[in-house]
Amino acid sequence: MVEVVVRRPARIFQAAGWPGERAALDAALGAWLGDPPPELGWARSRGSRTGMALAPGRWLLLAETPALPPDTPPLLVTDLSAARVVLRLTGPDLEPLLRKGVGFDPDARAFPPGRVAQTLIHHMPVLLHRIDAPSADLLVPSSWAQALRDWFDDAAAGSP
Amino acid sequence: MSAGGRLVDRAQPVHARFDGQPLQGYAGDTLASALLASGRRVVGRSFKYHRPRGLLAAGPEEPNALVTLRDGGRREPNIPATTVELFEGLVAESQNRWPSLDHDLLALFGLGGPLLQAGFYYKTFMGPTAKAWRLYEPWIRRAAGLGRAGRDPDPDRYDKASLWCDVLVIGAGPAGLAAAAEAAGSGRRVVLAEQTPRLGGSGLLDDSDAVVAAEAALAASPDVTILRRTTVWGAYDGMVLAAVERLADHLPAPPPDLPRQRLWRIHAREVVLATGAVERPMVFPGNDLPGVMLADAVLRYALLWGVAAGRRIAVLTNHDRGHEVARRLAGLGLQVTAVIDPRPTAATAAETAALGITVYHGHLVAAVEGRHMVRGLRLAGVDGSAGPVLDADTLAVAGGWTPLVQLASQAGAQPIWDERRQTFLPGPLPTGWRAVGACAGDGLPEVAPLPDVTRRHRGKAFVDLQNDVTAEDVRLAVREGFGSVEHLKRYTTLGMATDQGRTSSVNGLALLAAARDVPIAELGTTRFRPPFAPVALGALAGRSRGAHLRPERRTPMHDWHLAHGAEMYETGLWLRPRAYLRPGETVATAYVREAKAVREAVGIVDVSTLGKIDVQGPDSATFLDRLYCNAMASLPVGKARYGLMLREDGMVFDDGTAWRLGPDRFLVTTTTANAATVLGHLEHLLAVVWPELRVVVTSVTDQWAGMAVAGPHSREVLAAALDGVEMSHAAFPPMGVREARCGAIPVLVARLSFSGERAYEVYAPWTEGEAVWRRLLAAGEPFGIVAYGLEAMGALRIEKGHVAGPELDGRTTPADLGLGRMVSRRKSFVGSAMLDRPGLTQASRLQLVGLIAVDRQPVRAGAHLVESADRAKPGRSLGHVTSWTWSPALGRYAALGLLEGGLRHAGRRLWATYPLRREHVPVEVVHPCLYDREGARLDG
């Protein structure tokens, strides 16, 4: 049993920078997030804001309430607020359901709360963020959102 | 037997049908055990000779008893009856017989036996007689072969999922159970896969209480996943294994929420091969007659299902465990009359004899008497002397054991010959693999090599029962030069049936070794390949079929399109409107109306599917200058430019526009089809080729909904719908880019035209796409605005000679497309180094032209352009048609094509020939811009 809830955070920004400016980047991201930015492959949330470190020098920033992007430079910011939909999956069968779609081990020991990973589910690019043991957020490009929702409905129809 | 059977519940009768006749068994029975209990001896006909065949085995290695299950969309042929769990209402049919199993007229093939030996097809129908093959093929294919698949769609669901574990144990016999328990005890994640419904394997024959206890302990461990009815069928690189779990095959139909089967991709850190071993038959004349069975199978049928395989059983064996089986069968109350043993002595022969069983040392079976089943056995001494004739209806053969090493072989292991046990053992295994139990040779008896009786005694002696390969076929292959194991397999088909030679491979190798006079160890084995056992295509497809074959991308206006009559078309993975059909319209009439509206009034088209890339950073302009063949750095802020990207080899890669939004920021658009490829190309260039450039590229395809408003009234529509932007020609010239508002929604507007009319592209945040679309439609209503689809868009661009996917076919240069003037000679860019190659500049290259139909016949894409008016003798192809349409503006068929020498042929008449459609259409070669060449309409 997994419940799927679809939502759109108020703001989604991609922030990018160069490793040589790490201290300045961390300061700008930290100021926006209210916490030091997360390590690569991890998310960190503070209040209504979440930062995810997707790749060296690349972060995705989510704000649940309207917010301005972090001060630039040195960050280069791209507004993706309309470009992503979030599917929140919650339920005891989260892992069996994910195992039908993702190519990495979603077991909480291998993919603990706070971890993020970019992967494909049935050809669709997704960003997976483990919230806690029974729940995860899937960020999917807007044009795929309905197809991904349909895929989950179909995948959940069989027993785990 | 009147009682017994560890797996059956005699309180629960189960009713099935076999070949239309009622068949009764009990819960826990297999179709095979029920058939055997019912007294049915002949359960199938052989592949080639249609010989009557009975059960040989009790497990998945069964080569003879293949049946077709169910009917309609669930019809499934070639299933071993030994693997079918009996359920109420099961319908099964025998195969490869006509008109019936007991009276198969096709058995006449048996009389023509020598004609059908190995290599028959190659010899008879290749070379000079190859034409005859076409004549005979359908007939031969019908006669030979197995069951027929159904034609109805499969109604069942199939599923796919992955598993990750520390240890995958394959096989749940005693060794597999012990390995799983040990791994689970050390806190590792374990997957235990067992192909039958019951754990225990051979343990069920010895101590079923121990099996129950081991199973309970594993089931209680949270880190152990037990997969029953699951066959691991493939071993792949990186410790990835494939398995299929049969979730509902033992039920009349899958419950609504359950898939029929699930394909597992298992990622394991360690693989424990506990697949056990299968017993081997022996090769002697008549060894395929119903009643000749594996001794282990006879014991299993008696112990597990309470079925006596026969009334007078003889045992043929070359090892001591064969004697033990004979004594156990006798102990179960079965009448065992004799043990035939080619060895001069046996350690436990006295114990066997003490039970009243006659032991024939130094003897073999030279012939089996009976037509449809065993009636008697003619023995012969191993020295060739004549022996007695025994009265028996069942011959239980114990010819040694063959470990199931196929998965290890798939993973790269080379099995090694074990002379003492006369079998191949797994050999050194890849890292992370180990074999345990019988699969590793543990507990397998010492076996005496068998003398070959098939040279001395007449009659067909079968090696591969499923493919009807005889001992003589093996010798023939050697005589004809096919003496390696791989050649033998291909020439005779030995081991190539669905059972993958489980019961035949070692016997075949022994015969091959004898024929070549070399030791078996020297021959080696063939390399096994997936699948280890047949896998249903449905399981391989999983849920990716029907509507779920591929995911569909939708634009924000998708629902609007559907509500307004759009016929949708899949391009890439996007769904796009082809045309909006009004009552009584077809696509052909609707697009004409839409295209006319664009030329005469105004139209709007959804272009959200175009690739959009945000390019920013201090080196953005430099980067785009190197990326496009035309200049980009000079583009002022607030302007857009059409751009052409080339591949390294100078061919056109993609086209689109670049909008300069700021000194260090561009919005780059790509074709719909190439969006992801272009982004990958950009990322590659930045990461690998020019890592020093400080540029970030990000896909914003899903951030922006796009819509193009085109037509003489487009400016008025935008003026009415948008605020914050001056729309006059002077303030908003062609190629201008402006920010504006549509109500409260911020939008980006660029004055770009694909149709040749005055046109604007409006980009709104994806979430607001439909709202802006509706506002533009409302604003356009007084001007007669219509929404138009892909067909009208295609017609408009062909009329204007604009190139698109069909022309950007990877073989065209900018000059070929008439875009040579765009190529900058003052800078380097991707592809510039190769553009001047002679091959890319010669005058005879295929170049873009326009084509106008001379009469009213269609000029189709794919047609070749030729000089001859004679359809029968079209002559050499000078080029081909790439895009075509019936042009509403011109009132005739118009096309774009690629023609040798291009516009040097302008004004000439050629023919567009399409042999498959028998079309040969006269066309006139013209400039590709077929409409408004001066571009007057761009400015309204």
Side-chain angles (χ1 to χ4, degrees):
Chain A
M1 168 65 199
V2 174
E3 187 190 15
V4 181
V5 177
V6 180
R7 70 191 170 89
R8 281 185 181 273
R11 296 285 183 272
I12 303 175
F13 303 110
Q14 180 193 267
W18 282 268
E21 295 162 351
R22 180 68 191 265
L25 294 172
D26 282 0
L29 288 163
W32 188 87
L33 196 55
D35 242 352
E39 292 300 310
L40 187 58
W42 290 85
R44 178 164 292 151
S45 297
R46 174 86 183 247
S48 65
R49 296 186 179 187
T50 300
M52 306 176 187
L54 305 186
R58 225 172 244 228
W59 295 267
L60 199 70
L61 308 175
L62 271 62
E64 298 300 337
T65 52
L68 292 172
D71 277 339
T72 60
L75 286 167
L76 299 177
V77 175
T78 306
D79 186 358
L80 296 175
S81 300
R84 299 285 184 274
V85 175
V86 177
L87 272 62
R88 167 69 60 93
L89 311 177
T90 307
D93 293 331
L94 174 70
E95 287 177 18
L97 185 59
L98 289 176
R99 284 203 296 258
K100 295 186 182 191
V102 301
F104 60 87
D105 188 0
D107 185 280
R109 283 166 285 193
F111 190 68
R115 279 306 299 260
V116 294
Q118 298 187 87
T119 186
L120 289 174
I121 293 181
H122 190 46
H123 313 287
M124 293 175 271
V126 296
L127 172 63
L128 186 60
H129 173 204
R130 184 69 173 259
I131 305 296
D132 52 29
S135 55
D137 277 352
L138 268 165
L139 278 77
V140 60
S142 300
S143 60
W144 295 114
Q146 186 60 48
L148 187 67
R149 178 72 210 255
D150 292 346
W151 185 90
F152 272 110
D153 287 346
D154 184 58
S159 66
Chain B
M1 295 162 75
S2 58
R6 288 176 184 170
L7 299 185
V8 291
D9 179 357
R10 294 198 182 230
Q12 281 192 62
V14 174
H15 306 87
R17 295 186 85 80
F18 181 73
D19 277 349
Q21 301 295 314
L23 177 71
Q24 193 193 307
Y26 300 105
D29 257 322
T30 65
L31 176 59
S33 64
L35 284 168
L36 195 64
S38 75
R40 215 175 216 300
R41 277 299 176 98
V42 181
V43 294
R45 287 279 173 168
S46 75
F47 180 73
K48 197 153 74 172
Y49 302 113
H50 290 255
R51 288 167 70 101
R53 292 280 167 82
L55 286 161
L56 178 79
E61 68 274 21
E62 170 62 38
N64 290 333
L66 304 186
V67 297
T68 297
L69 295 180
R70 302 183 164 96
D71 42 32
R74 293 197 167 98
R75 181 183 173 92
E76 193 177 26
N78 308 334
I79 307 298
T82 49
T83 63
V84 179
E85 295 174 57
L86 204 68
F87 56 79
E88 188 67 30
L90 171 75
V91 175
E93 270 176 35
S94 59
Q95 303 183 158
N96 204 31
R97 79 289 188 274
W98 185 84
S100 76
L101 201 50
D102 292 328
H103 305 283
D104 180 6
L105 292 179
L106 299 172
L108 290 172
F109 280 116
L111 303 177
L115 288 178
L116 292 172
Q117 62 202 359
F120 159 72
Y121 300 125
Y122 305 123
K123 288 172 196 160
T124 315
F125 299 115
M126 299 296 146
T129 54
K131 276 189 179 166
W133 173 245
R134 289 190 196 162
L135 206 62
Y136 295 128
E137 185 198 4
W139 180 79
I140 289 173
R141 289 212 191 279
R142 250 199 303 278
L146 303 163
R148 284 177 298 107
R151 290 187 173 275
D152 297 338
D154 186 340
D156 292 332
R157 293 167 54 85
Y158 295 83
D159 198 14
K160 271 187 192 180
S162 298
L163 273 178
W164 286 261
C165 62
D166 296 310
V167 184
L168 167 65
V169 180
I170 307 170
L177 288 170
E182 183 201 345
S186 58
R188 290 185 286 174
R189 282 201 283 168
V190 178
V191 172
L192 175 61
E194 165 58 40
Q195 63 182 347
T196 71
R198 297 287 298 259
L199 307 191
S202 66
L204 292 170
L205 299 175
D206 301 322
D207 186 356
S208 42
D209 290 345
V211 170
V212 171
E215 185 175 342
L218 288 173
S221 172
D223 281 330
V224 176
T225 304
I226 299 174
L227 300 174
R228 290 165 217 274
R229 301 184 174 97
T230 300
T231 304
V232 181
W233 55 263
Y236 298 91
D237 289 348
M239 301 292 278
V240 175
L241 293 99
V244 64
E245 182 181 12
R246 292 170 291 276
L247 292 156
D249 281 5
H250 59 295
L251 305 170
D257 62 337
L258 202 63
R260 180 192 164 208
Q261 297 182 350
R262 178 174 293 133
L263 195 77
W264 288 104
R265 175 204 294 253
I266 304 176
H267 303 252
R269 289 180 197 277
E270 187 185 340
V271 175
V272 178
L273 204 56
T275 42
V278 295
E279 196 164 42
R280 209 154 58 220
M282 293 187 197
V283 185
F284 51 85
N287 66 337
D288 67 327
L289 211 57
V292 178
M293 298 175 71
L294 295 171
D296 179 63
V298 175
L299 180 64
R300 279 172 188 266
Y301 283 118
L303 256 177
L304 303 182
W305 293 286
V307 180
R311 295 181 192 283
R312 296 176 312 284
I313 301 171
V315 176
L316 171 63
T317 185
N318 54 348
H319 56 80
D320 290 347
R321 193 175 324 158
H323 286 256
E324 186 189 328
V325 170
R327 295 193 296 272
R328 282 189 80 176
L329 288 172
L332 289 167
L334 276 72
Q335 194 190 343
V336 181
T337 57
V339 170
I340 306 145
D341 189 335
R343 300 174 299 172
T345 58
T348 58
E351 290 172 42
T352 309
L355 295 175
I357 301 170
T358 312
V359 180
Y360 293 90
H361 284 297
H363 278 79
L364 278 165
V365 175
V368 182
E369 302 196 334
R371 258 179 71 86
H372 282 85
M373 57 179 283
V374 177
R375 301 274 182 207
L377 305 168
R378 197 144 46 76
L379 307 193
V382 292
D383 55 4
S385 59
V389 175
L390 302 185
D391 177 24
D393 64 4
T394 301
L395 177 64
V397 184
W401 294 80
T402 306
L404 293 170
V405 302
Q406 285 88 339
L407 290 167
S409 170
Q410 286 181 21
Q414 188 74 52
I416 50 168
W417 178 251
D418 182 281
E419 185 66 27
R420 204 162 54 87
R421 287 169 281 204
Q422 289 285 297
T423 198
F424 278 97
L425 298 178
L429 293 171
T431 308
W433 284 67
R434 66 192 168 99
V436 297
C439 176
D442 292 354
L444 297 187
E446 272 191 45
V447 170
L450 285 172
D452 181 2
V453 297
T454 62
R455 286 172 184 274
R456 204 180 285 153
H457 303 283
R458 286 175 57 83
K460 279 198 170 67
F462 286 89
V463 185
D464 184 330
L465 289 159
Q466 200 182 343
N467 265 354
D468 262 359
V469 180
T470 65
E472 182 50 31
D473 288 332
V474 174
R475 285 191 287 269
L476 178 73
V478 174
R479 283 202 299 278
E480 300 197 335
F482 299 99
S484 88
V485 284
E486 296 287 357
H487 288 156
L488 177 76
K489 168 181 153 184
R490 284 157 182 79
Y491 195 62
T492 63
T493 71
L494 185 121
M496 284 170 69
T498 56
D499 68 351
Q500 283 212 335
R502 303 236 203 307
T503 55
S504 63
S505 61
V506 173
N507 285 335
L509 289 169
L511 285 161
L512 176 64
R516 286 182 46 192
D517 199 20
V518 296
I520 294 179
E522 237 176 68
L523 295 173
T525 62
T526 52
R527 169 86 182 256
F528 289 97
R529 287 177 295 212
F532 168 67
V535 182
L537 287 175
L540 295 175
R543 282 178 291 104
S544 299
R545 62 177 198 169
H548 291 280
L549 180 63
R550 282 186 298 267
E552 290 167 345
R553 293 183 87 171
R554 296 173 187 191
T555 75
M557 289 79 97
H558 180 84
D559 292 343
W560 188 95
H561 298 324
L562 293 185
H564 290 80
E567 183 176 306
M568 302 303 276
Y569 185 74
E570 196 187 307
T571 55
L573 294 172
W574 291 97
L575 287 178
R576 303 183 71 180
R578 248 184 111 187
Y580 300 85
L581 306 193
R582 292 180 179 170
E585 281 187 334
T586 63
V587 169
T589 54
Y591 95 81
V592 171
R593 170 182 52 76
E594 293 169 6
K596 277 186 173 165
V598 174
R599 294 264 183 249
E600 292 163 12
V602 61
I604 183 168
V605 62
D606 182 355
V607 294
S608 304
T609 62
L610 290 177
K612 285 151 257 158
I613 301 170
D614 177 48
V615 179
Q616 57 168 321
D619 297 323
S620 298
T622 307
F623 176 57
L624 293 191
D625 236 17
R626 295 181 188 181
L627 185 67
Y628 287 104
C629 72
N630 50 323
M632 282 296 173
S634 57
L635 183 67
V637 174
K639 286 287 246 183
R641 186 168 288 169
Y642 177 70
L644 215 50
M645 288 182 209
L646 309 189
R647 297 190 315 217
E648 296 282 354
D649 63 2
M651 300 297 174
V652 176
F653 168 42
D654 198 57
D655 69 341
T657 57
W659 309 9
R660 192 157 200 172
L661 304 179
D664 296 335
R665 186 162 207 170
F666 293 81
L667 177 66
V668 165
T669 70
T670 74
T671 59
T672 297
N674 276 342
T677 319
V678 170
L679 181 68
H681 177 59
L682 268 54
E683 287 177 332
H684 169 80
L685 291 172
L686 288 170
V688 178
V689 184
W690 303 308
E692 71 281 5
L693 292 185
R694 292 165 66 91
V695 180
V696 172
V697 294
T698 308
S699 169
V700 286
T701 300
D702 289 68
Q703 172 69 15
W704 296 107
M707 49 215 93
V709 181
H713 295 301
S714 56
R715 178 161 58 193
E716 290 110 301
V717 175
L718 262 66
L722 304 183
D723 297 315
V725 61
E726 169 61 53
M727 294 299 302
S728 72
H729 183 74
F732 200 162
M735 308 310 282
V737 177
R738 299 287 182 271
E739 290 182 2
R741 281 179 291 104
C742 182
I745 303 165
V747 296
L748 270 177
V749 187
R751 188 169 164 189
L752 302 167
S753 179
F754 197 45
S755 57
E757 300 299 320
R758 178 206 294 279
Y760 302 86
E761 286 187 10
V762 180
Y763 281 13
W766 194 270
T767 43
E768 309 294 346
E770 189 182 333
V772 172
W773 174 267
R774 285 177 182 276
R775 277 172 176 263
L776 289 167
L777 278 163
E781 206 175 320
F783 305 101
I785 196 168
V786 299
Y788 64 102
L790 283 177
E791 292 292 337
M793 194 167 76
L796 295 166
R797 73 100 186 162
I798 290 170
E799 288 171 349
K800 285 300 293 177
H802 290 316
V803 295
E807 289 77 36
L808 309 183
D809 65 357
R811 296 176 294 181
T812 44
T813 65
D816 295 341
L817 300 174
L819 301 171
R821 68 186 183 285
M822 284 179 68
V823 177
S824 170
R825 292 290 167 180
R826 287 184 299 198
K827 61 165 189 167
S828 291
F829 51 87
V830 176
S832 59
M834 305 299 271
L835 264 183
D836 295 330
R837 279 184 297 167
L840 267 62
T841 55
Q842 62 194 18
S844 62
R845 286 188 61 78
L846 296 177
Q847 293 187 320
L848 187 71
V849 293
L851 300 162
I852 301 276
V854 173
D855 55 23
R856 301 198 61 80
Q857 299 181 71
V859 186
R860 287 179 209 279
H864 279 264
L865 298 170
V866 296
E867 286 179 321
S868 165
D870 183 354
R871 180 165 71 83
K873 293 178 182 167
R876 194 172 73 84
S877 170
L878 302 175
H880 56 273
V881 179
T882 51
S883 303
W884 68 293
T885 188
W886 188 84
S887 161
L890 304 178
R892 57 213 300 196
Y893 283 99
L896 298 176
L898 292 165
L899 178 65
E900 274 184 21
L903 285 174
R904 282 192 287 130
H905 298 283
R908 275 188 70 185
R909 174 169 297 195
L910 295 176
W911 277 262
T913 191
Y914 204 126
L916 290 177
R917 291 177 177 270
R918 298 172 175 273
E919 290 175 356
H920 196 72
V921 181
V923 293
E924 187 188 339
V925 179
V926 295
H927 188 277
C929 184
L930 307 170
Y931 181 74
D932 185 32
R933 259 181 88 181
E934 311 73 43
R937 304 185 63 85
L938 269 180
D939 298 331

